[in-house]
Amino acid sequence: MALFPAFAGAAQPGEPPAGSSEGSSRELDWLSNPSFSAEDALLLHQRSTEVANLIPEKSPLIRTSSRSELSEESDTDESLKQTSKKRKKKKHHLNKKKKKKTKGDSSSSESEVDTKHIKDRGSGKSSEKEAAANLGKKASGVTSSHSIWLDDIQESRADTFCIDKKPDPANWAYKSLYRGDIARYKRKGDSCLGIDAKKQWITWDSSASKRKQAQSRPERYFTKNNVKMLNTDGILVCNKSSPSDPPAFIPVSQVETDDSSDTTEVNPLGIYDPSTTVWLQGKGCKSADSESVNTQQAVQEPGLNMNSVLMTKVEEYNKKVRENPRDINAWMEFIAFQDELMRGPSPYASTGEQELRRKSLKLILEKKLAILERAIESNPSNVDLKLARLKLCTEFWEPPAVIKEWQKLIFLHPNNPEMWKKYLLFCQSQFTTFSVSKINSLYGKCLTTLAAVQDGSMVSHPLLPGTEAAMLAIFIQQCHFLRQAGHSEKAVSLFQALIDFTFFKPDSVKDLPTRGQVEFFEPFWDSGEPRIGEKGARGWKAWMHQQEKGGWVVLKPDDEDEEDIDEDQEIKDKTLPKWHIWLDIEHSREARHWLPWRPDKTKKETEEDCEDPERQVLFDDLGPSLIRLSNPKLQHQLLYSFLQFLGVPCTSKLFPSSLYIAMDENNIFDSVLYDDKPLTSVDFPLSGFNSIGHMDTMPRGRHQIGHYREGEEFIQNVFQVLSQIFTGKEKSNLAICWLQYEISKVIQCLQAKKKKKLKAQGRKSKKLAKNFLKAPDNRNNLSLWRLYAYLEWLLGNTDDSRKVFDTALCTAGTGGLKSAQLCSLSLLYAQLEVEQLESLEGAVTSRAVHVLTKLTENGPFVPYSGQVSPVNVLKARKTYEHALQDYLSQAADSGQDQVNDTDQLVNLVGCYALFQYLTVGIDAAVLIYTQASEKLEVSGSQKCENTGENFGILNFPTALEAVTLLHTNLLRFHMKISVYPLNPLREALAGALKRYPSNQSLWRSYIHIQRKSHCASKARRFFDSVTRSTNSLEPWLFAIQAEQMRKKLTEKVQRAEVGEIHCTIPETGLTNRIVALFEHAVQSENGTHCPLLWRMYLNFMASLGKKEKSKGLFYKALQNCPWAKVLYMDAVEYFPEDLQETLDLMTEKELRVRVPMEELDLLLEI
């Protein structure tokens, strides 16, 4: 064999052939291989190439067994079949080959060889060589075999065929190979003809029967057919025109038939109904019979009855809106009727179509939208219809399209403040397009436009009534928006600017339009002069007057030690987690830096010295929001709103117009001195939202009243400046607010049990009260005397407090029951004394009876010396009775304007009821409250019907609400000191809450008495009824709080470590119930954009440990309240691993981040 055996016979160019030279061939004999065949090598190469092309890529070598003989057809056929199966299955179940041994005559040995070689096919290169050799032998023997592969030949395939050895019984039975010729049938029932049912039985095992049995299971109540059946009207068992008295039994209607002689021929067996009998007789159908047939048909198809009712209503609505298209209420009722229409079967579809009808939300919205468009065509200038249309469009339109529609609507109605409020709320709650600067500028545009309408410069649109009050409400809403977004400096500056702009306006600019006045105000704001709340503030008017004269007097700074805040010491413990340190520093700076930063000229500071540029407020952020307030009541409301914004309790509840948008703190559930002193428990009108500088996460729950030294000085300066503006009653009200603020801080120290801080705060508060009473204008102010005496009582100085009370009563004069302040002072004095009692045994001889008795005598007050004589008690009772009857009759007969003060009625009822409670008993006191409440309720409803929207009408609901509070407080106190049933208190609270569903004090009392109840079903039904009848959010909040309290109580009992505990509270599924309440609450109109509700929901889900669901809920909350910084801070505590992501999101939305992550890293490195 040559060096290249395949070409051994070829001669080289210029050389003779290899066979001619014997010598040269002999020299290369050692390289020769006689057994090699060149033709076989070429054929082997060709066949291996073709086989390789048939094998898919990356598939293992399928057949590697070597055969020495290919003579038997069965062996070749069997091996090729196995090869084809292996190609399809690749590596599936090698043991199945053993079962195929019987299919061929001599396949047993070959199968064994195949299995053996398949197992050894990965042994090495030798197996691959054997495979190649075997393939070559197979290729050489292809022509001798009768059964070949179609893929292995390339010649004509006319005579080729396949052998299918799998039997098919259908071919024998039906003499055909087409499956469509095979008969198919469905068996009906399980019986068989021709068998004895008593002795024989056939069981059919088929999937169809099982499936039919599964489908025939009883349906639940929520299935489509059952819901449809429940929506249909029931069958009347008696006529509506029958007398009102129901019969003793339901009569069974008997069919009146004709003579038997006439019917026996056509109805011998009596099986036909009357109509069929008449028809067989050849007579016409009677009207009564036709009615009975229709009734029977209606009974058989109850959907027809429902259709007729719905069709009638649709016709009525269409007729109403067609005859009077200007009736807006009719259009709104027609739109609301679509929900009822979609719940029932369609009156326009046939019976078969009703089953296939899909009740989708989109279909309802499209129908409502079509009706609204018809209504708007008839009433193109109506705003309510357009707002309803936009509300519907929000459901299935994209946000950009809805915003464009809003802009068109605002352009058409720029003078409508209610539309502006809804537009602002819509833009404020759009997460995709939200940013603080954009929304703040939108508020400025709104107020600028309304100010132009107010000035008359916008001639195209008239001024609507109530625009000035709405402008103030929008301004306060803007301030709360900035506070919630973390920009407290801008919110405080807005209040400072508007107060200066309103109360210190120079006379020379009062006649100018609003924008002209703002242009004159800008130089004063940028001059660097002290503003409201800062030391030395004199106002815009004094600065303008001094500028006209020339120059300005520079005040010398006070030499006081300033509180230096060491920023480096903000991190107290560096071992805490990073997210925990960030929350601590953020909360600290929020509490210290809520005032706007201004350069101190005495220290030669400039604007570049400010470390945080966000603390500086530019006039461009304030100017567009300045408005002109001419109404004195609105001016006072602005002041009280600012004080409330700073955390000062006011004499009246002054919330922003959008209360639930600003509500972000869960202190509405806090009860101040609730259990200890039920009669005098403090109810501050600050519940629901954080005051400035008190932003913290919900799990920490640090509810604080008061500020740091700089903030307290700011509040004192505000009071001092405002007291210079007002005189008389308004000045007294400011003093009352200031003293109430100090008392609230004392109460906080009492609750926290901080004795040192209580002592210091007590001295400070007493000093302020004494300074107030030293003023000549306040010496006879009984309200200030009352607060001072109450302060002494809280501090534990009972004797000093009694001396203050006695002094105030002695100097009050002889006003008696006609003086509201004297009644209020005596009522508080008596309530405090009653709370000292442990039982009612010695109540007649108590100091409280003496105080209440002396109130009825028009003589001077004499301090308590002993028991009151029974004669004086009887005289006092008669005096109280006549005074109350006279007052109530006067209020019912005369107009509301002639009533002096509502407080006088409330205090009179309170004094009389407490007097009856001490001298007679609880039943007599409850009778007084009941009579007064009934009288006030009737009088209030009559006046509402007669006078319409009169502002004086609000006095009676306020009086009724206050009387109800006194009633419930007295019942709670009586239950504390003696045994008394709970039902009277529960009924009183339930009746009051149905009238005043937004009263937080009543709700606190209700959940307080229900928390000890064993069965919660009654309370749950009550909560459900109230939430269905009102749009207020308080019922939802307190219903959730009541369930959470119950859940905590159950868990506390179950986790008690006292051995085996058998829980007696039958509660299951509380978690799911609470989640359902949350879901319904956030879907309500007022709950969708309430940050407090979302915070409570997020806190509850995080407490369950459901992290993924909590994270999804957090992003859902941001879709509705993207401006609430507290939501982001809660998320930092719940999801600490996403700290950087949360801060990036806050930065993107322009929320205030006081501690950037880069600064935190630097502080941690120090």
Side-chain angles (χ1 to χ4, degrees):
M1 176 179 168
L3 185 63
F4 300 96
F7 304 95
Q12 296 293 335
E15 293 182 1
S20 64
S21 179
E22 297 178 1
S24 60
S25 62
R26 290 176 182 176
E27 292 177 357
L28 299 175
D29 285 340
W30 62 277
L31 288 174
S32 64
N33 186 4
S35 65
F36 179 77
S37 175
E39 290 81 8
D40 293 340
L42 291 174
L43 183 60
L44 175 65
H45 176 69
Q46 180 181 0
R47 301 313 305 163
S48 62
T49 304
E50 293 177 359
V51 172
N53 292 333
L54 293 175
I55 300 175
E57 280 188 26
K58 296 183 181 181
S59 63
L61 189 61
I62 294 178
R63 188 167 184 84
T64 59
S65 61
S66 62
R67 284 192 174 88
S68 59
E69 295 179 1
L70 295 173
S71 59
E72 296 181 9
E73 298 179 7
S74 61
D75 295 345
T76 304
D77 186 35
E78 185 68 17
S79 62
L80 290 177
K81 283 186 179 181
Q82 291 179 1
T83 304
S84 64
K85 290 180 180 179
K86 290 173 187 175
R87 283 173 180 167
K88 294 179 181 178
K89 298 184 179 179
K90 295 185 179 179
K91 290 185 179 180
H92 286 285
H93 306 297
L94 300 176
N95 56 354
K96 291 185 178 180
K97 296 185 180 67
K98 298 180 181 179
K99 298 180 181 180
K100 300 178 183 178
K101 294 179 181 180
T102 59
K103 293 185 180 180
D105 297 332
S106 60
S107 62
S108 176
S109 62
E110 296 295 329
S111 299
E112 293 177 358
V113 173
D114 291 350
T115 307
K116 179 179 179 181
H117 282 278
I118 286 173
K119 292 181 179 178
D120 299 335
R121 61 184 176 180
S123 60
K125 296 183 179 179
S126 60
S127 62
E128 297 177 2
K129 293 180 180 179
E130 289 180 6
N134 294 332
L135 285 172
K137 291 181 180 181
K138 188 193 88 166
S140 62
V142 160
T143 56
S144 62
S145 63
H146 297 283
S147 180
I148 62 176
W149 288 100
L150 295 179
D151 298 335
D152 294 339
I153 63 174
Q154 298 179 355
E155 291 82 2
S156 175
R157 303 180 183 180
D159 298 334
T160 58
F161 60 92
C162 296
I163 298 175
D164 184 11
K165 292 186 178 182
K166 185 178 180 181
D168 188 1
N171 295 336
W172 291 96
Y174 302 103
K175 306 300 180 182
S176 174
L177 298 178
Y178 180 53
R179 62 177 178 84
D181 295 339
I182 301 175
R184 295 182 180 181
Y185 64 93
K186 293 183 180 180
R187 183 172 59 253
K188 299 294 185 180
D190 293 336
S191 62
C192 182
L193 295 176
I195 65 172
D196 189 359
K198 297 181 180 180
K199 299 180 180 181
Q200 296 175 324
W201 181 259
I202 296 178
T203 302
W204 305 94
D205 293 334
S206 62
S207 59
S209 61
K210 295 180 180 179
R211 192 185 313 115
K212 189 174 182 180
Q213 291 177 0
Q215 292 178 354
S216 62
R217 290 182 299 178
E219 295 181 346
R220 298 294 303 278
Y221 65 94
F222 49 79
T223 57
K224 186 175 182 181
N225 293 331
N226 290 336
V227 171
K228 179 180 177 181
M229 181 181 65
L230 292 174
N231 288 333
T232 57
D233 293 338
I235 302 172
L236 296 176
V237 296
C238 59
N239 192 5
K240 293 182 179 180
S241 61
S242 60
S244 59
D245 296 335
F249 60 93
I250 300 177
V252 179
S253 57
Q254 297 180 356
V255 181
E256 296 180 359
T257 59
D258 296 336
D259 297 338
S260 59
S261 59
D262 298 336
T263 59
T264 52
E265 297 179 359
V266 296
N267 189 14
L269 300 178
I271 59 175
Y272 298 140
D273 60 351
S275 60
T276 306
T277 305
V278 172
W279 181 80
L280 291 174
Q281 292 177 357
K283 299 179 180 179
C285 186
K286 298 180 181 179
S287 60
D289 295 339
S290 62
E291 291 178 1
S292 63
V293 171
N294 295 335
T295 304
Q296 184 178 2
Q297 184 179 4
V299 171
Q300 293 175 357
E301 298 183 7
L304 297 177
N305 189 16
M306 185 69 180
N307 285 349
S308 61
V309 175
L310 293 177
M311 283 292 294
T312 304
K313 289 185 177 181
V314 171
E315 292 174 359
E316 290 177 358
Y317 280 117
N318 281 320
K319 182 179 179 181
K320 188 182 297 184
V321 297
R322 183 175 60 252
E323 293 178 353
N324 189 7
R326 301 289 182 181
D327 190 358
I328 307 300
N329 293 329
W331 286 108
M332 291 297 186
E333 291 175 1
F334 192 21
I335 295 169
F337 172 70
Q338 300 306 311
D339 296 325
E340 180 183 353
L341 187 64
M342 294 301 296
R343 283 195 295 267
S346 175
Y348 305 105
S350 61
T351 306
E353 293 176 353
Q354 290 176 6
E355 300 297 330
L356 302 176
R357 182 169 174 247
R358 182 183 177 186
K359 303 173 183 179
S360 63
L361 177 62
K362 188 176 181 181
L363 179 60
I364 301 177
L365 294 176
E366 289 176 351
K367 288 191 67 175
K368 290 183 177 180
L369 189 60
I371 297 173
L372 276 172
E373 289 176 351
R374 284 178 50 202
I376 293 174
E377 289 178 1
S378 303
N379 305 275
S381 61
N382 189 268
V383 178
D384 295 334
L385 293 174
K386 295 179 181 180
L387 289 176
R389 177 177 176 272
L390 271 177
K391 187 177 180 181
L392 283 179
C393 294
T394 309
E395 298 292 336
F396 53 91
W397 280 10
E398 294 296 329
V402 182
I403 291 176
K404 288 183 180 179
E405 289 295 322
W406 267 111
Q407 291 174 350
K408 293 179 183 178
L409 195 58
I410 289 296
F411 179 77
L412 294 175
H413 305 278
N415 61 333
N416 192 321
E418 295 300 324
M419 184 176 294
W420 273 107
K421 290 180 184 178
K422 296 182 179 180
Y423 176 52
L424 289 170
L425 179 59
F426 172 78
C427 296
Q428 187 174 328
S429 58
Q430 292 298 312
F431 178 78
T432 54
T433 60
F434 170 81
S435 67
V436 174
S437 59
K438 186 183 298 184
I439 301 301
N440 191 40
S441 62
L442 191 61
Y443 272 103
K445 180 182 178 181
C446 166
L447 292 174
T448 302
T449 306
L450 292 177
V453 175
Q454 183 186 24
D455 296 335
S457 57
M458 186 177 289
V459 187
S460 57
H461 294 82
L463 178 66
L464 299 179
T467 301
E468 189 174 344
M471 291 168 66
L472 178 60
I474 293 174
F475 174 83
I476 297 174
Q477 182 177 333
Q478 180 185 7
C479 295
H480 280 282
F481 161 73
L482 292 172
R483 173 189 62 82
Q484 290 177 311
H487 296 271
S488 55
E489 300 92 347
K490 293 182 180 180
V492 174
S493 298
L494 271 174
F495 271 115
Q496 286 180 305
L498 189 58
I499 290 175
D500 242 325
F501 189 76
T502 302
F503 294 98
F504 299 94
K505 187 179 297 182
D507 298 335
S508 57
V509 300
K510 287 185 177 180
D511 297 333
L512 296 176
T514 305
R515 291 303 99 192
Q517 296 179 10
V518 171
E519 292 177 359
F520 276 96
F521 183 74
E522 184 175 0
F524 162 72
W525 188 262
D526 294 335
S527 64
E529 296 304 322
R531 302 164 186 167
I532 298 297
E534 300 176 1
K535 293 181 180 179
R538 299 187 180 183
W540 179 25
K541 184 176 182 180
W543 178 83
M544 194 82 162
H545 183 66
Q546 190 67 28
Q547 288 293 319
E548 292 174 356
K549 287 185 176 181
W552 182 255
V553 179
V554 180
L555 299 176
K556 295 182 180 181
D558 298 334
D559 296 333
E560 294 184 2
D561 296 334
E562 296 185 0
E563 183 181 1
D564 295 330
I565 303 173
D566 192 1
E567 301 291 342
D568 296 337
Q569 300 298 325
E570 287 181 329
I571 303 179
K572 298 180 181 179
D573 187 2
K574 293 185 179 181
T575 60
L576 295 174
K578 194 174 184 179
W579 63 271
H580 198 286
I581 297 175
W582 182 85
L583 284 176
D584 290 339
I585 301 178
E586 188 77 13
H587 173 72
S588 175
R589 292 188 180 181
E590 187 76 32
R592 295 177 184 272
H593 296 164
W594 54 269
L595 287 173
W597 186 90
R598 300 185 65 199
D600 192 350
K601 295 182 179 180
T602 60
K603 296 181 181 180
K604 298 181 180 180
E605 291 181 348
T606 59
E607 294 181 355
E608 298 178 355
D609 296 331
C610 183
E611 297 179 356
D612 189 359
E614 292 290 334
R615 296 186 62 191
Q616 302 183 34
V617 182
L618 303 178
F619 186 78
D620 295 339
D621 299 329
L622 310 174
S625 300
L626 296 180
I627 56 178
R628 188 160 48 92
L629 298 176
S630 57
N631 190 347
K633 292 184 179 180
L634 296 179
Q635 293 177 357
H636 297 158
Q637 187 171 355
L638 170 65
L639 292 178
Y640 291 131
S641 299
F642 183 39
L643 294 176
Q644 191 183 42
F645 191 81
L646 297 175
V648 178
C650 300
T651 54
S652 59
K653 296 182 180 181
L654 294 172
F655 289 108
S657 59
S658 302
L659 165 65
Y660 302 115
I661 303 174
M663 189 179 287
D664 54 2
E665 185 55 50
N666 64 339
N667 54 6
I668 61 173
F669 308 117
D670 297 342
S671 53
V672 183
L673 303 178
Y674 188 84
D675 296 326
D676 299 335
K677 300 179 179 180
L679 292 177
T680 59
S681 57
V682 183
D683 180 28
F684 294 121
L686 290 172
S687 303
F689 60 91
N690 278 318
S691 59
I692 195 77
H694 291 158
M695 185 179 294
D696 204 354
T697 60
M698 182 166 285
R700 301 188 182 194
R702 294 182 287 200
H703 302 157
Q704 297 179 356
I705 298 177
H707 302 276
Y708 287 98
R709 178 171 171 268
E710 187 180 5
E712 290 295 327
E713 291 179 354
F714 180 83
I715 293 176
Q716 292 177 11
N717 294 332
V718 169
F719 274 116
Q720 291 174 1
V721 172
L722 296 181
S723 61
Q724 298 174 3
I725 304 175
F726 298 116
T727 57
K729 186 177 180 181
E730 292 299 330
K731 187 175 182 179
S732 175
N733 290 337
L734 282 175
I736 291 172
C737 289
W738 195 349
L739 199 52
Q740 282 182 340
Y741 177 57
E742 297 296 328
I743 290 175
S744 64
K745 290 188 284 187
V746 170
I747 293 176
Q748 186 184 36
C749 295
L750 282 173
Q751 287 184 318
K753 298 181 180 179
K754 298 179 180 179
K755 295 183 179 180
K756 292 184 179 180
K757 191 174 181 180
L758 175 62
K759 190 175 181 181
Q761 183 62 44
R763 287 197 304 267
K764 182 179 178 182
S765 302
K766 287 167 62 177
K767 181 180 178 181
L768 178 66
K770 290 179 180 178
N771 291 334
F772 278 141
L773 292 174
K774 287 179 182 178
D777 298 338
N778 297 329
R779 288 178 182 175
N780 295 326
N781 192 336
L782 295 182
S783 298
L784 291 176
W785 282 99
R786 177 178 177 273
L787 289 177
Y788 177 43
Y790 182 54
L791 175 62
E792 291 282 2
W793 195 285
L794 288 175
L795 293 174
N797 306 325
T798 306
D799 295 335
D800 295 339
S801 177
R802 287 171 177 169
K803 291 179 182 179
V804 175
F805 273 120
D806 292 340
T807 305
L809 291 173
C810 291
T811 58
T814 59
L817 297 176
K818 296 181 180 180
S819 174
Q821 292 185 352
L822 186 58
C823 288
S824 177
L825 180 66
S826 301
L827 179 60
L828 178 62
Y829 191 8
Q831 286 175 341
L832 291 172
E833 292 291 344
V834 169
E835 287 178 343
Q836 300 291 325
L837 299 177
E838 297 181 357
S839 64
L840 291 177
E841 294 180 358
V844 183
T845 62
S846 64
R847 189 185 296 266
V849 176
H850 171 76
V851 172
L852 295 174
T853 304
K854 287 295 181 182
L855 179 63
T856 60
E857 301 175 2
N858 293 330
F861 180 79
V862 179
Y864 176 71
S865 57
Q867 181 179 358
V868 183
S869 63
V871 177
N872 293 334
V873 171
L874 292 175
K875 289 182 179 180
R877 184 177 293 117
K878 285 293 183 181
T879 306
Y880 275 121
E881 185 179 354
H882 291 305
L884 182 61
Q885 294 296 332
D886 294 342
Y887 199 96
L888 290 176
S889 60
Q890 177 187 2
D893 297 337
S894 61
Q896 293 282 354
D897 297 334
Q898 299 180 6
V899 180
N900 296 328
D901 196 359
T902 307
D903 295 337
Q904 184 177 356
L905 173 62
V906 175
N907 294 325
L908 176 61
V909 174
C911 290
Y912 186 21
L914 189 60
F915 178 80
Q916 290 289 87
Y917 173 68
L918 295 174
T919 56
V920 181
I922 184 64
D923 295 334
V926 170
L927 182 61
I928 299 300
Y929 282 124
T930 304
Q931 292 177 354
S933 300
E934 292 176 354
K935 195 71 174 179
L936 287 173
E937 188 173 2
V938 172
S939 301
S941 60
Q942 289 178 355
K943 294 301 176 182
C944 289
E945 294 175 359
N946 295 334
T947 59
E949 295 184 358
N950 186 2
F951 291 104
I953 298 173
L954 298 177
N955 293 334
F956 271 101
T958 305
L960 184 57
E961 192 171 358
V963 167
T964 307
L965 279 174
L966 291 175
H967 182 192
T968 55
N969 289 342
L970 183 61
L971 286 176
R972 286 195 298 114
F973 171 76
H974 183 68
M975 293 176 61
K976 179 184 176 182
I977 65 172
S978 62
V979 178
Y980 193 71
L982 184 62
N983 196 45
L985 177 57
R986 184 187 288 116
E987 290 181 354
L989 285 172
L993 287 171
K994 288 180 180 179
R995 289 192 297 266
Y996 311 109
S998 60
N999 189 298
Q1000 298 176 5
S1001 300
L1002 293 174
W1003 281 119
R1004 279 193 288 268
S1005 300
Y1006 187 78
I1007 65 173
H1008 179 76
I1009 64 172
Q1010 288 294 337
R1011 67 180 181 180
K1012 299 179 181 179
S1013 178
H1014 182 75
C1015 181
S1017 59
K1018 184 179 293 185
R1020 287 169 180 168
R1021 288 195 300 269
F1022 176 70
F1023 275 117
D1024 183 67
S1025 63
V1026 176
T1027 51
R1028 291 175 184 272
S1029 61
T1030 181
N1031 292 327
S1032 300
L1033 193 60
E1034 282 85 359
W1036 288 111
L1037 293 173
F1038 282 92
I1040 293 169
Q1041 179 68 10
E1043 296 294 343
Q1044 286 183 332
M1045 290 168 61
R1046 194 168 187 83
K1047 185 174 182 295
K1048 290 179 181 178
L1049 178 62
T1050 307
E1051 293 176 351
K1052 183 179 180 181
V1053 172
Q1054 292 175 347
R1055 295 176 182 176
E1057 298 179 358
V1058 291
E1060 187 177 0
I1061 294 294
H1062 298 282
C1063 184
T1064 59
I1065 303 178
E1067 288 298 343
T1068 55
L1070 270 176
T1071 301
N1072 295 331
R1073 179 181 293 275
I1074 295 172
V1075 171
L1077 285 174
F1078 272 120
E1079 285 295 331
H1080 284 88
V1082 297
Q1083 292 173 7
S1084 61
E1085 181 180 358
N1086 292 322
T1088 305
H1089 306 296
C1090 179
L1092 171 59
L1093 186 60
W1094 287 108
R1095 292 185 72 192
M1096 292 173 60
Y1097 195 2
L1098 185 60
N1099 181 42
F1100 178 72
M1101 295 301 294
S1103 65
L1104 297 178
K1106 299 180 180 180
K1107 197 166 188 179
E1108 293 300 325
K1109 288 187 177 180
S1110 301
K1111 191 173 293 187
L1113 182 65
F1114 165 64
Y1115 288 110
K1116 185 179 178 181
L1118 293 187
Q1119 295 291 334
N1120 296 279
C1121 304
W1123 69 89
K1125 182 182 175 181
V1126 285
L1127 279 174
Y1128 298 85
M1129 295 181 68
D1130 288 343
V1132 169
E1133 184 155 357
Y1134 299 142
F1135 321 114
E1137 67 277 2
D1138 299 334
L1139 173 61
Q1140 186 63 49
E1141 180 183 350
T1142 306
L1143 293 183
D1144 293 342
L1145 189 59
M1146 294 173 66
T1147 306
E1148 178 186 352
K1149 298 303 177 183
E1150 300 179 1
L1151 297 177
R1152 186 81 159 90
V1153 180
R1154 299 180 182 271
V1155 190
M1157 190 55 63
E1158 296 79 9
E1159 182 182 356
L1160 181 60
D1161 294 336
L1162 292 175
L1163 291 175
L1164 290 174
E1165 292 176 0
I1166 297 176

